[in-house]
Amino acid sequence: MATEEPRSGARAVDRAIGVLSCFEGDPELSVSELAHLADLPVSTVHRLAQALVRGRLLEQDPATDRYRIGHGLASLARPALGRLGLDSAAPHLYALAAGIGITVSVSMAEDRDAVTVFQARPPVYFCPNQLPRDRRPLRDSAAGHALLAFSPFDTIAEEHAARRDTRPARTAGLHTDLDRVRRSGFATELMPTDDPIRAVAVPIVGPDKRVRGALAVQARSARLNAELIRNIVPAMRITAGRIAPLFQTVGGATDSAELESR
C-alpha cells in the first residue's frame, strides 16, 4: 500500500519543526543559512521563520536580521524542565558555569545514548566548542561513561553493548575505562578534531543512590588540560551533589528492568 502523502498543513508543521531543529546549540542564523540547513527554499524558510517569530518561538535581531531561539520556546519547555527538576537546578548550574567559565550541561540516559537535556552558559569565555552534541552513545562519551560507571545496571548495559559489538578488545576497553572512572570519580573524553576538544563528566547521584544524570563540561583540550580538570572537578562534584535531590525522574535507560526487557 502506498504511503499517504502528508496534507499541506502537516507538511508545513514538519517544515517548521525542521527549521526549529536547525537551532540546536543556540546559534544565530540568517535566512539563507536556515534554508541551507533545512534544505528548503529561502522563500519558504522566510515565511516559516516569520510565523515562528510571531509565535515567539524564534526571535529576529533587528540589527542583523538573524534568527535565534525565542523566549516562547523556553516557556513551552518549562513544564518538562520542572518534571525533570531542572528548573530548580538551573541556578546551581549557572553559578557553576560562571565560576569555572565553561558551559555546563546535564545529560540523561535514553535508549543507550547520553542525551543533553540542559545547558548553562557562562557570562564570559563562551565559545561553540563548549556545546555538546544533542545525543551521544553511552559507551563513546564522557557523560555516557559517568552514567554507566556509577549505575547499578552497568554490567547489564555492558552486556548489551558487548552483544552489539563482538570485538573483544573494544569490550575489554570499555570495562577498563569504566573501572578508571570509578576510581577517579569522573570521566574524560578527547575528541580528535583539527582543534581537539576534551570533555569531563561527573555523575549526578540521588539520595536513593540511583544515577539521575551526568554533569559535564567540554572545551578545547589546550584549555581544558589536566591542571584545569583538577581545579574544576571538585566544584562539579559539589554542584552535582546539590542538584541531585532536585531531580524528579531519571532517564529511560537507567531502569535495569527496562534494559533487561529490551
Side-chain angles (χ1 to χ4, degrees):
M1 185 173 64
T3 303
E4 183 180 353
E5 289 293 323
R7 296 178 181 272
S8 58
R11 185 162 57 245
V13 171
D14 288 340
R15 288 176 169 179
I17 292 172
V19 168
L20 286 174
S21 298
C22 296
F23 289 90
E24 289 183 6
D26 197 22
E28 292 194 0
L29 301 170
S30 68
V31 68
S32 59
E33 290 169 338
L34 267 177
H36 173 72
L37 291 171
D39 194 23
L40 291 170
V42 170
S43 59
T44 300
V45 169
H46 180 265
R47 183 173 66 254
L48 290 170
Q50 288 299 307
L52 291 168
V53 168
R54 291 192 295 272
R56 298 177 57 249
L57 302 183
L58 290 180
E59 296 175 351
Q60 188 173 22
D61 189 322
T64 65
D65 286 336
R66 299 175 76 84
Y67 294 94
R68 58 180 175 247
I69 289 294
H71 294 295
L73 198 59
S75 298
L76 290 175
R78 190 168 293 118
L81 294 177
R83 287 194 297 273
L84 293 173
L86 288 168
D87 55 345
S88 300
H92 300 281
L93 297 170
Y94 278 105
L96 175 62
I100 65 177
I102 304 175
T103 295
V104 175
S105 64
V106 173
S107 296
M108 292 183 173
E110 181 181 282
D111 296 331
R112 303 187 187 93
D113 286 340
V115 178
T116 302
V117 296
F118 189 84
Q119 295 173 4
R121 295 188 181 185
V124 293
Y125 304 128
F126 170 76
C127 73
N129 292 323
Q130 298 175 14
L131 296 178
R133 285 165 52 186
D134 183 59
R135 180 183 288 265
R136 298 281 309 283
L138 285 169
R139 64 177 297 159
D140 294 330
S141 60
H145 283 194
L147 287 162
L148 287 175
F150 295 96
S151 297
F153 63 88
D154 59 326
T155 54
I156 298 171
E158 291 173 24
E159 287 170 1
H160 278 276
R163 283 199 292 270
R164 287 173 170 268
D165 190 339
T166 58
R167 290 171 287 182
R170 192 176 184 203
T171 301
L174 177 61
H175 281 275
T176 300
D177 289 342
L178 296 184
D179 285 340
R180 185 183 303 114
V181 173
R182 293 185 192 101
R183 291 194 301 271
S184 65
F186 63 94
T188 62
E189 173 193 7
L190 184 64
M191 292 167 260
T193 62
D194 292 338
D195 189 1
I197 298 171
R198 181 172 283 111
V200 181
V202 300
I204 302 170
V205 183
D208 57 0
K209 305 303 181 184
R210 296 184 67 188
V211 173
R212 301 302 181 95
L215 190 155
V217 301
Q218 70 177 48
R220 295 173 55 246
S221 62
R223 179 187 176 198
L224 191 53
N225 54 26
E227 180 181 1
L228 184 57
I229 290 173
R230 285 194 299 269
N231 290 335
I232 68 174
V233 163
M236 292 175 65
R237 285 174 171 165
I238 290 171
T239 299
R242 287 173 176 168
I243 67 176
L246 304 176
F247 279 51
Q248 301 302 313
T249 60
V250 294
T254 56
D255 189 320
S256 59
E258 183 179 350
L259 265 179
E260 290 180 297
S261 68
R262 292 179 181 176

